[in-house]
Each structure stands twice: as structure tokens, then as C-alpha cells.
Amino acid sequence: MISLAAPDATMYWLSRRTRNDQFLLYCFTESGRTDSALRAEILQRCAAVPELRLRLHDDPTGLAYPRWIPAEPAAAQIEQHRLPAPHWPELLAAVGRLTGTGVDARESPWRLHIFREVRDGPVCGSPATVVVLQISHALVDGRGASRIARALFTEPSPPEAGSASPGAEPVGETPPPGTVPAECRPVSAAGEPEPKGGRSARPASAEQALGPPGADEFAPVPRIGGLPADRDTRSPGIPAVPLASLRAAVTLPVGIARTVRRGMAAARARNELAALTTAGRVPPPGTGYPPGPLNGPAEVTGHAARLLVCPADDFRVPGLSVTVVGLTAVSIAVERYLRACGAQVSRLGAQVPMALPPRRGVRNNYRSLGVDLAAGEQDPRRRAALIAAELTARRRRARHPLLDAQDAVDAVLPPLLLRRDVRDYPIDSIPEQVTGHTVVSSVNRGPADLRFGGAPVRFTGGFPALGAVMHLTHGIHGLGETVTLSVHADPGVVDPDVYADHLRDALRELPRLRD
């Protein structure tokens, strides 16, 4: 059994207070196979992915971190939904309802939802099958979830002539943020979170399902293959948990001492970073933003999903990344929507997750950047250039080694203290300063060579979670020659159809970025 790293445990404990699952949508051409055949095929694929053969076991004393233990995929984790009418608007309504649910990682950290014979969808001229992978953020981050999906929907290659059965590529791993995600921490006047005190025939153990990292950033997601299913070993190892509790109790004073020592080092690192910033050697921190109309109320009243599927060429602008082009469209759309609602818009910001280098044993590995969206700039090219420069500066600062000192504190924080922090943190209130007014998460999900039931994939999408502070989030997801802008909105705060129209109009202006 493998204990969760502090950032992953934070995601798990947060899931007990708010919905933070990931939802990955893949649209395929409708398969000619029967429902039972599709379910049997995908269940077999799930059993070949090590990350999908785990569940969490809580430490009964709370002194040790929860642990991943083996658990075979079950048919109950694959749900086929029947829509009232098999049309795209009904599908979007069903996906919106799903985003308001959460898995219990102690029973299963994932669930697969299947919708068949969906008509009138984007790109697909014929009926489609839509598959939604719902997965706990404690298990993987955005890129890790995309790698799992690629393993599920990559059909095995036929064996070469004269060879034995095809081998299996080991599944990749994944990565963390700080103890409480940046969007859940107090934000200083400076806009930064305030500090706090090989091939294998089969996986030998759960450790092989816990590996390196990916992250929520628009970088190619490598292909991964599956691993053959092993026997169900759900119970072995559980008796060892009391021993882990005892070990945690014995080492608690040592853990507290290490936390204090590293906290002092983090304070020195902050002072050094401030000096480098004053000297102009490191970009200054983001300024933070006062909450706006999209950042309240504290309670999410509902969930709505929308997807705009575009040709990848629309996002190919010389000198600009796909993420910057997408941020520019979001910037224009949000500003126009708020002005149409009568709001005064002087400044706008987006919270953008950025990948960090892998760290062993950590599965959520990113930092959230507060990126200014250049509100008020009328020239789209100038707006895009300002956003690109801002994103570059935020990344430069976020990658500075001195910021790793806070991560080092989090890494040794005793679970008892971290769990208390997550339990007591006021995530149901709106802070005086926020890192952004909306979220934009960007992930390239690779080539469009995926299949489900022998049918080819058409496009993909995803929906970052809503919360007390964020009532409008976006996903930018590339797959082959498509880029999808996904919208997840609280309809009590944002009219999803009106906003989607603004976003669609903004996307039509992207060609002007090339002029």
C-alpha cells in the first residue's frame, strides 16, 4: 500500500467538503457493437490500467495519510445512461448534472458514463457515442487523467508475425499543489497565496500505479498502454494500516520539528525572492483582483456544460500558443458578457494551472497562476500580446526554485495538521482578493487515434470544477485537428447560452490575430 502525498491527500479531503472531480468527455462515432459488448470491452480495458485498479483506505486514527490499495474494476463503475431524447442539448444537460456529483475514492476513485446514439452533436454528422470519465483529483491531475483516458481508448496493436502476445507499456504516473490549492487559500495583496506554518507483463504491486507526473498545461500527452489485470487483492495490506498509524504517532514530534525547520527555510526563501524581485531579476507577483460578479455567491446553485468545437487551425497563430489564443477568446467573451449585464469591468484575471516538474509519489503537480486578461484593450492582437507577456512572466516566477521551499514545508506536514487545515479552511467564503475571476485549464490530449467499440474519436472536452469563488470555468482541450473550448457554469450566476454566444463570437475574431 502506498500513502498519499500531502497535495493528493489535500485533494481527497477537499472532496469531502466540495465537488472537485475531473470530467473528461470524449465523443466517438456511434459503434455498431451491442451495449453489452461495449461494456465488456471497456471493463477489460479498465482492468488493464493500474490507476483504475486502486481505491483509498482511510487511516482509522487520522494520524497517517490515506493509502491506495488494490481493487479490481467492477461493472457497477460503468454506467450507461438513457437520455429522454437522444439529442445534443439533452446530452449537455446530463453532463451538467454529472459535474455536480462526486465519487467516493474509498469505494472507487473513478466512474465511466456512456451515452449512445446522440444526435445533432458538433463535428459528427451521424449519431455519436459520448463517454465521460469521472475521476477523483486525489488520483491524478489533468494530464494524468488524459493519459488514463488514452490508455482506455487506445486499441491494442495486433501481434507481429511470429511473436508472442503483445507486450504492454507501463502506464504513466502523475503529480501536486500546496496543501490547500491556491484558489482555496487567502491571497495576499500581491496576488500570491499566503504562506502557512521498461516493460512489464503485469504490475508487481500498487506502487506501479503511482508514478511520475503530468499537469494541466497544453503540452502533448504521451501514449500509454494497458497492463493485464491481476487478481483482486482488495483486502491484503489493510491490517498494516494500524502499524502505519502507530508509526505516524511515534514520528509526530519529528514531523512537527521538520515542519518548523522547513517553515523557517521557507521564510528565508520568501525574503530572498522579494529581494530578487526588487532588483528586477524575477518578475513581480500578480496583483490579485477584487471579487467580481462571477465570484459569488458562496454556494453553487447548479451546473451547466457547453462545448464549442473548433478546427485546430483556428488556434494556430504565429508567435502565440494555443493557451494564449484560448485565453484571448475567453478574455473578450467574459468582458462583453459582464458589460452586457451592466457590470463595470476595469480589470479581469484568469486562474491558469501550470505544470511543474515531476516529484516522486506526488500525483497533482501544478501551480495556479493569476493571469491578467488585458480588459479594455480593443485590439485583439494587442490583447493577445499582453496576455502572452503576462503568462510568460507568471510562469517565470512560478518556476523559480525559491518557491519550492513552501512545497518542502507541505511535504513534511503531519497528516493530523494538514487534515485539520483542510477541515477548518473557510472554502465556503469569498476572500477579499482572488487569483482570477474565472479558471482556464489547458491540456493537449494528443492525436485523434482513439477508438471506442472500433469507432473513431471526433473530439474531447473537459470541465474544471466550480466552487465558492469560481462560478465560471473553462477547459481548452486539443485532440488531433480539433480544439474544444468547454464551459462549466453556475446558471444562477451565468446564463450559459448567452455566455456561449459571446464566446462563439470571440472565436470568430481569432483570424484577426494573424493580421
Side-chain angles (χ1 to χ4, degrees), residues 15 236 301 318 336 360 417 505:
S15 73
T301 62
R336 289 177 179 172
R360 183 175 178 81
L417 301 182
D505 290 342

Side-chain angles (χ1 to χ4, degrees), residues 63 125 135 319 456:
L63 293 172
I135 194 163

Side-chain angles (χ1 to χ4, degrees), residues 277-333:
T277 302
T278 301
R281 296 171 58 186
V282 176
T287 54
Y289 304 87
L294 302 179
N295 300 118
E299 183 178 352
V300 175
T301 62
H303 300 262
R306 299 291 185 269
L307 291 99
L308 305 181
V309 184
C310 309
D313 280 344
D314 289 357
F315 284 75
R316 291 178 178 139
V317 179
L320 299 178
S321 68
V322 170
T323 301
V324 168
V325 174
L327 281 168
T328 303
V330 168
S331 168
I332 295 170

Side-chain angles (χ1 to χ4, degrees), residues 153-169:
F153 302 127
T154 298
E155 293 190 341
S157 302
E160 297 179 4
S163 68
S165 60
E169 297 290 340

Side-chain angles (χ1 to χ4, degrees), residues 144-501:
S146 296
R147 285 198 298 271
I148 289 175
R150 179 155 288 276
L152 281 179
F153 302 127
T154 298
E155 293 190 341
S157 302
E160 297 179 4
S163 68
S165 60
E169 297 290 340
V171 170
E173 310 114 343
T174 16
T179 54
V180 174
E183 62 269 29
C184 296
R185 288 192 190 176
V187 177
S188 67
E192 294 186 323
E194 291 182 355
K196 47 173 268 330
R199 301 168 77 86
S200 172
R202 64 176 64 244
S205 66
E207 284 90 330
Q208 291 194 13
L210 305 169
D216 302 83
E217 192 168 83
F218 209 90
V221 175
R223 301 187 193 191
I224 54 176
L227 294 174
D230 210 341
R231 68 185 189 282
D232 188 347
T233 52
R234 180 171 297 230
S235 57
I238 293 179
V241 173
L243 180 59
S245 305
L246 178 61
R247 185 183 302 114
V250 171
T251 60
L252 180 60
V254 176
I256 293 175
R258 292 171 70 191
T259 300
V260 171
R261 185 167 61 251
R262 292 192 183 186
M264 295 172 65
R268 291 192 296 270
R270 285 194 297 275
N271 292 336
E272 185 177 349
L273 185 61
L276 291 174
T277 302
T278 301
R281 296 171 58 186
V282 176
T287 54
Y289 304 87
L294 302 179
N295 300 118
E299 183 178 352
V300 175
T301 62
H303 300 262
R306 299 291 185 269
L307 291 99
L308 305 181
V309 184
C310 309
D313 280 344
D314 289 357
F315 284 75
R316 291 178 178 139
V317 179
L320 299 178
S321 68
V322 170
T323 301
V324 168
V325 174
L327 281 168
T328 303
V330 168
S331 168
I332 295 170
V334 170
E335 181 174 354
R336 289 177 179 172
Y337 177 82
L338 291 177
R339 290 191 188 282
C341 292
Q344 298 295 318
V345 182
S346 57
R347 297 178 63 226
L348 281 178
Q351 183 176 293
V352 182
M354 183 200 76
L356 293 175
R359 284 183 293 177
R360 183 175 178 81
V362 182
R363 308 182 67 74
N364 283 269
N365 201 36
Y366 61 88
R367 285 197 178 104
S368 289
L369 312 179
V371 177
D372 191 88
L373 294 181
E377 176 56 58
Q378 299 304 309
D379 183 349
R381 292 170 298 177
R382 175 64 178 162
R383 186 185 288 242
L386 291 172
I387 291 173
E390 172 75 1
L391 182 60
T392 297
R394 299 281 67 75
R395 282 174 169 165
R396 278 186 58 201
R397 184 176 180 88
R399 287 171 176 156
H400 198 282
L402 288 173
L403 289 179
D404 294 339
Q406 181 61 51
D407 295 336
V409 177
D410 299 339
V412 298
L413 194 65
L416 198 64
L417 301 182
L418 177 58
R419 187 168 189 167
R420 180 206 60 191
D421 286 352
V422 176
R423 181 195 65 208
D424 296 342
Y425 194 82
I427 62 173
D428 297 326
S429 62
I430 303 172
E432 294 182 359
Q433 292 278 299
V434 296
T435 55
H437 299 102
T438 184
V439 170
V440 180
S441 177
S442 183
V443 180
N444 184 352
R445 290 180 177 163
D449 55 358
L450 308 179
R451 304 180 80 83
F452 181 57
V457 71
R458 295 306 186 195
F459 60 87
T460 186
F463 308 93
L466 303 181
V469 176
M470 296 299 178
H471 291 255
L472 174 67
T473 67
H474 305 79
I476 304 174
H477 296 99
L479 186 72
E481 289 303 306
T482 63
V483 175
T484 301
L485 250 173
S486 307
V487 175
H488 186 189
D490 178 353
V493 175
V494 179
D495 184 314
D497 292 313
V498 173
Y499 176 72
D501 286 341

Side-chain angles (χ1 to χ4, degrees), residues 99-162:
T99 58
T101 68
V103 297
D104 185 343
R106 296 170 301 180
E107 297 177 1
S108 170
W110 62 273
R111 194 179 298 149
L112 201 69
H113 307 273
I114 301 173
F115 303 84
R116 300 200 67 180
E117 296 286 347
V118 180
R119 301 178 185 276
D120 307 322
V123 180
C124 301
S126 56
T129 293
V130 175
V131 183
V132 178
L133 173 61
Q134 179 178 2
I135 194 163
S136 168
H137 225 308
L139 182 61
V140 284
D141 61 13
R143 285 194 67 203
S146 296
R147 285 198 298 271
I148 289 175
R150 179 155 288 276
L152 281 179
F153 302 127
T154 298
E155 293 190 341
S157 302
E160 297 179 4

